[in-house]
């Protein structure tokens, strides 16, 4: 899974890798949204099939064949977030949904704290998702699901 998604911000095009977008979902599932949502993710394994990933279960991230390298780690292709207090709120977000939310945030079309917008902007400009923290991932997910930050 080595594809790239192009987003446009103020006329400039930026390419975000699936790894970049997957990293955002991983942060959100593994803690960024845990204060408001029950979350689970789906990943594509290296054979091209899908396998479920449960949040906070390390067995999902451990290679069992003994010759693992980081390049074979599963990437999130989508994640489902259901509000703990009202499971009718929430939904599933895929990589394209993450890219769309990032484009809206960085482009100024979504209202988020300015510090969060700056963190995401720097990550996009550098092409480095490691700059995105759990709080920023949570905002991206909420913009992707609700078009606004509802929780937090």
């Amino acid at each position: 899974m080595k594809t790239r998604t192009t987003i446009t911000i103020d006329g400039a095009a930026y390419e975000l890798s699936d790894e970049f977008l997957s990293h955002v979902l991983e942060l959100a599932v593994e803690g960024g949204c845990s204060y408001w949502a029950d979350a689970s993710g789906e990943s594509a394994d290296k054979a091209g099939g899908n396998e479920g990933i449960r949040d906070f279960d390390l067995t999902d991230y451990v290679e069992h064949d003994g010759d693992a390298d980081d390049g074979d780690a599963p990437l999130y292709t989508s994640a489902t977030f259901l509000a703990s207090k009202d499971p009718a709120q929430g939904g599933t977000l895929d990589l394209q949904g993450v890219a769309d939310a990032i484009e809206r945030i960085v482009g100024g079309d979504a209202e988020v704290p300015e510090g969060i917008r700056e963190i995401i902007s720097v990550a996009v400009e550098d092409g480095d998702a490691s700059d995105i923290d759990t709080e920023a991932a949570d905002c991206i997910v909420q913009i992707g699901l609700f078009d606004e930050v509802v929780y937090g």
Side-chain angles (χ1 to χ4, degrees):
M1 182 171 21
K2 297 281 186 193
T3 61
R4 301 181 86 62
T5 302
T6 303
I7 63 173
T8 304
I9 301 161
D10 296 331
Y14 297 91
E15 288 189 350
L16 303 179
S17 68
D18 283 354
E19 290 83 4
F20 183 107
L21 300 169
S22 178
H23 179 75
V24 173
L25 284 178
E26 182 179 5
L27 285 172
V29 167
E30 293 184 13
C33 298
S34 64
Y35 70 98
W36 67 268
D38 294 322
S40 64
E42 288 291 321
S43 72
D45 64 17
K46 59 186 167 189
N50 286 328
E51 63 180 31
I53 293 181
R54 296 175 305 278
D55 53 332
F56 303 111
D57 186 345
L58 293 178
T59 61
D60 290 320
Y61 306 100
V62 176
E63 293 284 343
H64 300 288
D65 60 8
D67 58 355
D69 71 21
D70 292 336
D72 290 336
L75 294 174
Y76 280 72
T77 56
S78 66
T80 301
F81 302 87
L82 301 177
S84 300
K85 294 185 183 208
D86 182 5
Q89 290 186 346
T92 300
L93 196 60
D94 62 10
L95 299 182
Q96 184 62 54
V98 173
D100 293 344
I102 289 171
E103 185 173 45
R104 291 185 59 222
I105 290 169
V106 177
D109 297 328
E111 190 173 323
V112 298
E114 194 54 40
I116 297 292
R117 185 181 327 280
E118 184 61 30
I119 288 169
I120 298 168
S121 295
V122 168
V124 167
E125 290 170 7
D126 293 346
D128 184 3
S130 67
D131 291 335
I132 295 177
D133 60 11
T134 56
E135 187 177 3
D138 176 37
C139 287
I140 292 167
V141 166
Q142 288 190 57
I143 295 300
L145 292 175
F146 309 119
D147 294 324
E148 64 181 336
V149 176
V150 176
Y151 302 99

